[in-house]
Amino acid sequence: SHSPSSVIIVGAGVSGISAAKVLAENGIHDLLILEASDRIGGRIRKETFGGVSVELGAGWIAGVGGKESNPVWELAAKSGLRTFFSDYSNARYNIYDRSGKIFPSGIATDSYQKAVDSAIQNLRNQEAESGGDHSSTSKVTEPPSTPIELAIDFILHDFEMAEVEPISTFTEFGEREYLVADERGYEYLLYKMAEDFLHTSEGRILDNRLKLNQVVRGIQQSRSGVRVVTEDGRFYEANYVVLSVSIGVLQSDFISFNPPLPRWKSEAITKCEVMVYTKIFLQFPYKFWPGCPEKEFFIYAHDRRGYYTFWQVRLKCFSILCLFCFSPGNHLLLFSWSNKETLKFKRFLFADYLFEQSSDLPLYDQHMESAYPGSNILVVTLTNGESKRVEAQPDTDTLREAMVVLRDMFGPDIPDAIDILVPRWWNNRFQRGSYSNYPIISNPQVFYNIKAPVGRIFFTGEHTSERFNGYVHGAYLAGIETSRAVLEEMRKERETEDGSQTQL
Ligand code: FAD
């Protein structure tokens, strides 16, 4: 038992850390952060694989270059995090069939357009139905059936819904996405945040208000306070709890509540969908795939939807990166940089260049000095059913399946992968999935109920961000918003206390 804190934050992912930071900035220093795992970061997590850092969870800063500034992009800029512009739009021109042929761009474009049109039509039909409008004849759309249609449908729905439905991240923060490729990891942003309010030394958090390996299993509340019980039989008391565990953990009933959560709350929790998104990393003895920027992403068209569809060449982290581009007059332009300030400036140049010119100009990027030579890594992304299937099987089976797919695309002579890494977000009892997904046509009440506090328990996390759920910036902003709500509640409680004292 410990002396009661003002606030206990359960979970040290982005939302938990940003919530704690806001509380500390507002004078609440007797806070406690309880984290189940042995590290901070949650779904931001790097691991060493094939000699380099790879991101098992969040990999991109999505929503950059728009009218509003993405706060995570600002944090990244301030911390000097190394990022690279990702141009997904080329992926659709790198669709391989099972015999290794790339679909002609005309066919790819047509199939893409067809898929977008059909997705939009489906959405309209659903809207009409949910609005009770049966008068308008809903057009029947053909479901995708050929391998290329299935591949595009998968990309469209499981990756870039933005083309079908406006997504706040892209409409508000901008359409660009930047891949984080930094040896310190995406999680470096969390350490930078923690530094502002927790005692740290040499990149490590030494503050005893952060308690790792504390698995919360029970939350009891009375009118005067909250008691949090952990798996190892400890308990901690506080005035308020900020609960940042994922929607998957909430659905799994891993944490018991006393009194039980009201029905409106538990029903809302069950209604939110949980997406599973798995990045599988494969290391090879050498590179056999095309290396130019327009080939950074490629797609495999198979008759089973989502079967090892989306591939990505892992960018290396370079201490010096040079970009050569041949202008129409065949002039060689060379940008090179070595210190962070110029890097930032030049990177924007690079991004603009790719963004505007990528389709007309041959572009060639040359890696002058690789900080990690020989990291020949490919990443393939699986989702939902395929993720769960692969999580349940030995990694050697997954490696074998991936090799068959790669040999379909690149021929029988390519070497076997020498190592594989398969993250298991679904089977992780502190995660139970990758991120929330509110059905497009859903009742806004579901969302409000998921977010609403229950007595002294305040809910936060990416799933409580109305506009940006599913993203790092969603979690970050949710933490801030939840803490503001807690501070407001504290203020009200103080007022009523003061009020009753004056009455006496
Ligand atoms: P979490 O990071 O999950 O933090 C919750 C914390 O609570 C965890 O540390 C967990 O260990 C802890 N916890 C759980 N149960 C307990 C318990 N019982 N007791 C104590 N502690 C507990 N977003 C992007 O913006 N860009 C991307 O490219 C991107 N890609 C992604 C790829 C993958 C594979 C995944 C999984 C996610 C991705 N996301 C991406 C989403 C992004 O990572 C999340 O939205 C964000 O990190 C969630 O932060 P959070 O604080 O809400 O939750």
Side-chain angles (χ1 to χ4, degrees), residues 10-16 34-37 39-44 56-62 177 186 214-217 244-246 249 254-255 277-279 425 429-431 433-435 460-463 468-473 475-476:
V10 180
V14 197
S15 64
L34 303 178
E35 165 57 47
S37 72
R39 60 212 283 177
I40 68 163
R43 282 171 269 173
I44 293 187
L56 307 196
W60 280 271
I61 300 174
E177 296 191 48
Y186 208 141
Q214 289 299 295
V215 181
V216 171
R217 296 304 302 264
S244 81
V245 304
S246 70
V249 170
F254 186 63
I255 298 174
Y277 178 104
T278 313
K279 291 189 262 183
W425 294 105
R429 62 186 190 138
F430 308 145
Q431 288 301 342
S434 298
Y435 44 82
T460 197
E462 77 39 44
H463 53 284
F468 307 119
N469 63 78
Y471 291 101
V472 171
H473 50 272
Y476 173 79

XYZ file of all heavy atoms in Angstrom, residues 10-16 34-37 39-44 56-62 177 186 214-217 244-246 249 254-255 277-279 425 429-431 433-435 460-463 468-473 475-476, ligand 1:
506
model
N -3.159 4.505 -15.851
C -2.893 3.102 -16.179
C -2.461 3.037 -17.639
O -3.237 3.364 -18.544
C -4.131 2.212 -15.931
C -3.819 0.758 -16.295
C -4.582 2.315 -14.481
N -1.216 2.624 -17.866
C -0.678 2.496 -19.225
C 0.272 3.629 -19.560
O -0.039 4.793 -19.339
N 1.449 3.259 -20.079
C 2.454 4.263 -20.437
C 2.708 4.274 -21.941
O 3.835 4.284 -22.405
C 3.746 4.026 -19.662
N 1.618 4.256 -22.709
C 1.728 4.487 -24.155
C 1.695 5.997 -24.385
O 1.829 6.784 -23.442
N 1.505 6.405 -25.637
C 1.481 7.838 -25.941
C 0.419 8.574 -25.132
O 0.682 9.642 -24.581
C 1.125 8.123 -27.420
C 1.504 9.532 -27.791
C 1.750 7.143 -28.346
N -0.791 8.006 -25.079
C -1.875 8.746 -24.417
C -1.619 8.861 -22.920
O -1.860 9.913 -22.322
C -3.232 8.081 -24.680
O -3.276 6.806 -24.113
N -1.104 7.805 -22.309
C -0.812 7.836 -20.872
C 0.272 8.857 -20.551
O 0.157 9.631 -19.596
N 1.130 3.404 -13.918
C 1.293 1.954 -13.791
C 1.281 1.327 -15.179
O 0.305 1.465 -15.925
C 0.153 1.357 -12.955
C -0.035 1.930 -11.549
C -1.246 1.272 -10.879
C 1.224 1.713 -10.697
N 2.362 0.671 -15.531
C 2.475 0.064 -16.863
C 2.690 -1.437 -16.722
O 3.555 -1.878 -15.972
C 3.617 0.736 -17.634
C 4.102 0.000 -18.886
C 3.015 -0.263 -19.931
O 2.247 0.668 -20.261
O 2.925 -1.409 -20.407
N 1.902 -2.207 -17.472
C 1.945 -3.667 -17.353
C 3.242 -4.271 -17.891
O 3.776 -5.224 -17.332
C 0.759 -4.278 -18.091
N 3.741 -3.722 -18.978
C 4.920 -4.325 -19.597
C 6.191 -3.750 -18.978
O 6.123 -2.944 -18.055
C 4.899 -4.088 -21.109
O 5.170 -2.732 -21.376
N 8.312 -1.792 -20.404
C 8.785 -0.602 -21.116
C 7.653 0.378 -21.338
O 6.486 0.001 -21.264
C 9.384 -1.023 -22.463
C 8.367 -1.737 -23.351
C 9.009 -2.773 -24.227
N 9.674 -2.143 -25.352
C 10.376 -2.805 -26.267
N 10.494 -4.132 -26.180
N 10.953 -2.198 -27.254
N 8.014 1.611 -21.653
C 6.981 2.564 -22.031
C 6.789 2.454 -23.546
O 7.545 1.786 -24.231
C 7.346 4.015 -21.630
C 8.519 4.547 -22.445
C 7.636 4.111 -20.132
C 8.664 6.064 -22.387
N 5.755 3.092 -24.058
C 5.574 3.142 -25.517
C 4.340 2.420 -26.017
O 3.739 2.836 -26.996
N 3.959 1.321 -25.362
C 2.776 0.585 -25.804
C 2.899 0.172 -27.261
O 3.806 -0.565 -27.637
N 2.005 0.702 -28.079
C 1.970 0.330 -29.493
C 2.998 1.087 -30.326
O 3.009 0.984 -31.548
C 0.563 0.523 -30.041
C -0.347 -0.614 -29.628
C -1.775 -0.305 -29.979
N -2.460 0.367 -28.890
C -3.680 0.861 -28.978
N -4.334 0.788 -30.115
N -4.237 1.452 -27.933
N 3.838 1.849 -29.674
C 5.020 2.390 -30.345
C 6.156 1.571 -29.794
O 6.447 1.616 -28.598
C 5.209 3.883 -30.023
C 4.058 4.670 -30.649
C 6.554 4.366 -30.536
C 4.210 6.165 -30.542
N 7.709 -2.281 -34.722
C 6.683 -3.324 -34.750
C 5.282 -2.723 -34.736
O 4.328 -3.306 -35.213
C 6.798 -4.254 -33.534
C 8.134 -4.900 -33.224
C 7.941 -6.044 -32.259
C 8.800 -5.381 -34.489
N 5.161 -1.570 -34.131
C 3.860 -0.892 -34.051
C 3.847 0.264 -35.021
O 4.203 0.099 -36.189
N 3.440 1.431 -34.516
C 3.334 2.595 -35.394
C 4.644 2.833 -36.131
O 5.721 2.746 -35.543
C 2.965 3.823 -34.571
N 4.526 3.118 -37.425
C 5.707 3.347 -38.236
C 5.697 4.693 -38.943
O 6.741 5.206 -39.310
N 4.518 5.253 -39.124
C 4.398 6.493 -39.879
C 3.850 7.636 -39.039
O 3.074 7.414 -38.112
C 3.438 6.315 -41.062
C 4.057 5.638 -42.238
C 4.718 6.221 -43.279
C 4.047 4.231 -42.521
N 5.144 5.260 -44.176
C 4.737 4.042 -43.737
C 3.531 3.117 -41.861
C 4.917 2.779 -44.314
C 3.708 1.871 -42.425
C 4.394 1.706 -43.639
N 4.233 8.819 -39.407
C 3.521 9.999 -38.935
C 2.588 10.340 -40.083
O 3.040 10.713 -41.176
C 4.474 11.157 -38.616
C 5.443 10.716 -37.516
C 3.676 12.399 -38.196
C 6.544 11.722 -37.210
N 1.325 10.124 -39.862
C 0.344 10.301 -40.934
C -0.326 11.655 -40.767
O -0.650 12.051 -39.656
C -0.695 9.181 -40.867
N 2.435 11.237 -45.648
C 2.816 10.342 -44.559
C 4.332 10.195 -44.556
O 4.938 10.071 -45.616
C 2.171 8.972 -44.741
C 0.671 9.047 -44.654
C 0.022 7.690 -44.558
O 0.461 6.865 -43.742
O -0.929 7.453 -45.322
N 10.720 5.365 -32.975
C 9.580 6.273 -32.848
C 9.415 6.607 -31.358
O 9.044 7.699 -30.957
C 8.339 5.539 -33.379
C 7.204 6.347 -33.961
C 6.523 5.886 -35.101
C 6.759 7.534 -33.381
C 5.453 6.590 -35.645
C 5.680 8.233 -33.922
C 5.033 7.753 -35.052
O 3.973 8.428 -35.584
N 3.620 -3.492 -13.706
C 2.481 -3.449 -12.788
C 1.212 -3.689 -13.594
O 0.691 -2.788 -14.259
C 2.424 -2.091 -12.074
C 3.530 -1.914 -11.056
C 3.456 -2.971 -9.961
O 2.516 -3.023 -9.182
N 4.453 -3.856 -9.926
N 0.770 -4.944 -13.552
C -0.371 -5.355 -14.363
C -1.665 -5.103 -13.592
O -1.950 -5.776 -12.598
C -0.252 -6.855 -14.717
C -1.421 -7.298 -15.585
C 1.084 -7.142 -15.391
N -2.423 -4.145 -14.038
C -3.665 -3.791 -13.347
C -4.747 -4.819 -13.680
O -5.001 -5.121 -14.846
C -4.113 -2.367 -13.737
C -5.508 -2.068 -13.201
C -3.098 -1.340 -13.249
N -5.362 -5.385 -12.635
C -6.420 -6.378 -12.840
C -7.754 -5.946 -12.258
O -8.783 -6.547 -12.556
C -6.017 -7.736 -12.222
C -4.809 -8.400 -12.843
C -4.952 -8.620 -14.338
N -6.107 -9.420 -14.706
C -6.072 -10.726 -14.927
N -4.924 -11.381 -14.833
N -7.160 -11.388 -15.266
N -5.800 4.133 -19.802
C -5.413 4.294 -21.211
C -5.242 2.974 -21.943
O -4.707 2.943 -23.043
C -4.117 5.119 -21.304
O -2.987 4.299 -21.056
N -5.701 1.875 -21.349
C -5.545 0.580 -22.029
C -6.388 0.564 -23.310
O -7.363 1.284 -23.424
C -5.916 -0.612 -21.110
C -5.092 -0.575 -19.834
C -7.409 -0.617 -20.777
N -5.982 -0.280 -24.251
C -6.629 -0.300 -25.573
C -8.078 -0.785 -25.494
O -8.489 -1.419 -24.516
C -5.847 -1.221 -26.503
O -6.038 -2.557 -26.081
N -8.192 -4.494 -24.889
C -8.030 -4.903 -23.483
C -9.359 -4.686 -22.745
O -9.792 -5.544 -21.969
C -6.872 -4.137 -22.805
C -6.859 -4.373 -21.305
C -5.537 -4.542 -23.415
N -10.161 -8.079 -19.021
C -8.931 -8.368 -18.281
C -8.925 -7.608 -16.961
O -8.396 -8.057 -15.958
C -7.754 -7.929 -19.161
C -6.407 -8.273 -18.624
C -6.033 -9.593 -18.456
C -5.492 -7.274 -18.315
C -4.770 -9.910 -17.980
C -4.224 -7.583 -17.838
C -3.873 -8.912 -17.674
N -9.541 -6.419 -16.972
C -9.612 -5.600 -15.768
C -11.045 -5.670 -15.244
O -11.994 -5.437 -15.994
C -9.238 -4.138 -16.095
C -7.803 -4.071 -16.615
C -9.422 -3.245 -14.871
C -7.374 -2.699 -17.110
N -3.313 -5.511 -37.282
C -2.435 -5.055 -38.368
C -1.050 -5.552 -37.997
O -0.547 -5.256 -36.924
C -2.524 -3.530 -38.401
C -1.672 -2.791 -39.399
C -2.229 -2.248 -40.560
C -0.320 -2.580 -39.172
C -1.459 -1.519 -41.457
C 0.454 -1.863 -40.065
C -0.118 -1.340 -41.200
O 0.634 -0.614 -42.083
N -0.479 -6.357 -38.870
C 0.779 -7.023 -38.535
C 1.834 -6.757 -39.590
O 1.609 -7.022 -40.766
C 0.569 -8.555 -38.463
O -0.594 -8.813 -37.681
C 1.753 -9.251 -37.841
N 2.957 -6.238 -39.154
C 4.067 -6.056 -40.080
C 5.037 -7.193 -39.847
O 5.589 -7.326 -38.756
C 4.780 -4.735 -39.788
C 3.960 -3.517 -40.126
C 4.803 -2.270 -40.013
C 4.569 -1.588 -38.686
N 5.325 -0.331 -38.549
N 0.298 -8.778 -31.964
C -0.521 -7.774 -31.270
C -1.830 -8.364 -30.783
O -2.368 -7.956 -29.765
C -0.793 -6.577 -32.188
C 0.444 -5.809 -32.532
C 1.118 -5.820 -33.719
C 1.180 -4.929 -31.657
N 2.219 -5.001 -33.633
C 2.283 -4.445 -32.399
C 1.010 -4.505 -30.341
C 3.212 -3.547 -31.850
C 1.936 -3.613 -29.798
C 3.015 -3.150 -30.545
N -1.754 -9.930 -24.301
C -2.897 -9.646 -23.411
C -2.942 -8.187 -22.976
O -3.931 -7.738 -22.411
C -2.918 -10.587 -22.209
C -1.704 -10.472 -21.317
C -1.715 -11.535 -20.226
N -0.651 -11.211 -19.267
C -0.777 -11.287 -17.967
N -1.916 -11.688 -17.434
N 0.232 -10.968 -17.179
N -1.875 -7.425 -23.214
C -1.903 -5.989 -22.911
C -2.288 -5.159 -24.135
O -2.237 -3.935 -24.104
C -0.549 -5.516 -22.384
C -0.014 -6.320 -21.228
C 1.340 -6.560 -21.092
C -0.888 -6.850 -20.270
C 1.830 -7.312 -20.025
C -0.417 -7.602 -19.204
C 0.939 -7.842 -19.086
N -2.633 -5.818 -25.225
C -3.039 -5.101 -26.439
C -4.345 -5.632 -27.028
O -5.275 -4.901 -27.244
C -1.941 -5.157 -27.511
C -0.739 -4.281 -27.185
C -1.083 -2.816 -27.023
O -2.129 -2.353 -27.452
N -0.207 -2.066 -26.379
N -5.031 -6.553 -30.115
C -5.343 -5.926 -31.395
C -4.427 -4.744 -31.636
O -3.576 -4.427 -30.804
N -4.596 -4.115 -32.796
C -3.688 -3.030 -33.165
C -4.290 -1.648 -32.963
O -3.648 -0.757 -32.459
C -3.230 -3.196 -34.608
O -2.518 -4.413 -34.742
N -5.515 -1.466 -33.398
C -6.171 -0.179 -33.149
C -7.671 -0.251 -33.381
O -8.167 -1.192 -33.993
C -5.554 0.966 -33.949
C -5.252 0.652 -35.390
C -6.245 0.709 -36.355
C -3.965 0.296 -35.782
C -5.956 0.426 -37.674
C -3.663 0.012 -37.101
C -4.674 0.081 -38.040
O -4.391 -0.205 -39.339
N -9.054 7.135 -21.633
C -8.301 7.813 -22.685
C -7.698 6.766 -23.622
O -7.944 5.571 -23.476
C -7.219 8.741 -22.079
O -6.779 9.658 -23.085
C -6.013 7.960 -21.555
N -6.901 7.224 -24.594
C -6.319 6.292 -25.567
C -6.819 6.638 -26.950
O -7.798 7.387 -27.096
N -6.149 6.093 -27.942
C -6.493 6.414 -29.334
C -7.977 6.215 -29.627
O -8.565 6.989 -30.364
C -5.576 5.692 -30.283
C -5.579 4.269 -30.699
C -6.766 3.429 -30.963
O -7.717 3.890 -31.633
O -6.757 2.277 -30.552
N -8.591 5.210 -29.017
C -10.001 4.898 -29.288
C -10.948 5.972 -28.747
O -12.127 5.937 -29.023
C -10.360 3.526 -28.696
C -10.006 3.405 -27.237
N -8.702 3.216 -26.814
C -10.752 3.492 -26.116
C -8.669 3.180 -25.495
N -9.909 3.351 -25.046
N -9.301 11.405 -34.623
C -8.044 10.782 -35.041
C -7.834 9.391 -34.445
O -6.691 8.992 -34.198
C -6.874 11.694 -34.657
C -7.025 13.112 -35.157
C -7.079 14.185 -34.266
C -7.123 13.370 -36.513
C -7.211 15.483 -34.728
C -7.260 14.674 -36.993
C -7.307 15.737 -36.091
N -8.912 8.676 -34.174
C -8.711 7.353 -33.573
C -7.908 6.463 -34.524
O -8.000 6.585 -35.737
C -10.050 6.712 -33.178
C -10.925 6.460 -34.367
O -10.720 5.504 -35.105
N -11.883 7.341 -34.599
N -7.102 5.586 -33.925
C -6.268 4.690 -34.727
C -4.883 5.229 -35.009
O -4.070 4.532 -35.610
N -4.608 6.461 -34.579
C -3.305 7.067 -34.883
C -2.556 7.493 -33.616
O -3.167 7.723 -32.573
C -3.495 8.305 -35.760
C -3.956 7.979 -37.151
C -5.292 8.124 -37.509
C -3.055 7.513 -38.108
C -5.724 7.821 -38.790
C -3.474 7.211 -39.385
C -4.806 7.367 -39.736
O -5.218 7.075 -40.994
N -1.254 7.678 -33.786
C -0.422 8.174 -32.697
C -0.894 9.564 -32.257
O -1.045 9.833 -31.064
C 1.067 8.219 -33.127
C 1.909 8.939 -32.086
C 1.602 6.808 -33.351
N -1.152 10.438 -33.236
C -1.582 11.792 -32.844
C -2.950 11.757 -32.174
O -3.259 12.606 -31.345
C -1.550 12.757 -34.034
C -2.234 12.260 -35.262
N -1.579 11.508 -36.214
C -3.507 12.368 -35.683
C -2.435 11.195 -37.182
N -3.604 11.698 -36.885
N -3.942 9.352 -30.107
C -3.649 8.976 -28.722
C -3.053 10.166 -27.966
O -3.428 10.451 -26.824
C -2.677 7.791 -28.699
N -2.155 10.858 -28.612
C -1.486 12.010 -27.995
C -2.516 13.083 -27.606
O -2.531 13.566 -26.469
C -0.453 12.556 -28.985
C 0.198 13.845 -28.559
C 1.222 13.846 -27.620
C -0.214 15.063 -29.097
C 1.825 15.034 -27.226
C 0.380 16.248 -28.713
C 1.400 16.233 -27.778
O 1.977 17.402 -27.384
P -1.089 2.025 -26.061
O 0.119 2.444 -26.779
O -1.586 0.652 -26.286
O -0.832 2.264 -24.506
C -1.558 1.564 -23.536
C -0.583 0.993 -22.517
O -1.342 0.322 -21.514
C 0.365 -0.050 -23.099
O 1.691 0.314 -22.810
C -0.027 -1.351 -22.382
O 1.084 -2.183 -22.108
C -0.631 -0.821 -21.102
N -1.570 -1.743 -20.474
C -2.479 -2.540 -21.063
N -3.165 -3.239 -20.149
C -2.680 -2.877 -18.953
C -2.975 -3.261 -17.620
N -3.921 -4.168 -17.362
N -2.284 -2.695 -16.607
C -1.320 -1.757 -16.840
N -1.004 -1.362 -18.100
C -1.677 -1.915 -19.144
N -0.478 5.025 -35.753
C 0.046 5.983 -36.555
O -0.177 7.177 -36.318
N 0.819 5.649 -37.629
C 1.109 4.344 -37.927
O 1.842 4.063 -38.878
C 0.557 3.333 -37.116
N 0.798 2.038 -37.394
C 0.455 1.092 -36.483
C 0.868 -0.222 -36.694
C 0.606 -1.191 -35.745
C 1.097 -2.593 -35.980
C -0.090 -0.847 -34.563
C -0.329 -1.865 -33.499
C -0.543 0.446 -34.368
C -0.279 1.430 -35.318
N -0.688 2.754 -35.154
C -0.226 3.718 -35.994
C -1.574 3.143 -34.042
C -0.806 3.743 -32.859
O 0.299 2.952 -32.568
C -1.742 3.805 -31.662
O -2.902 4.516 -32.004
C -1.139 4.483 -30.426
O 0.207 4.142 -30.232
C -1.968 4.077 -29.213
O -1.518 4.717 -28.050
P -2.368 4.543 -26.710
O -1.693 5.342 -25.663
O -3.798 4.825 -26.980
O -2.324 2.985 -26.374
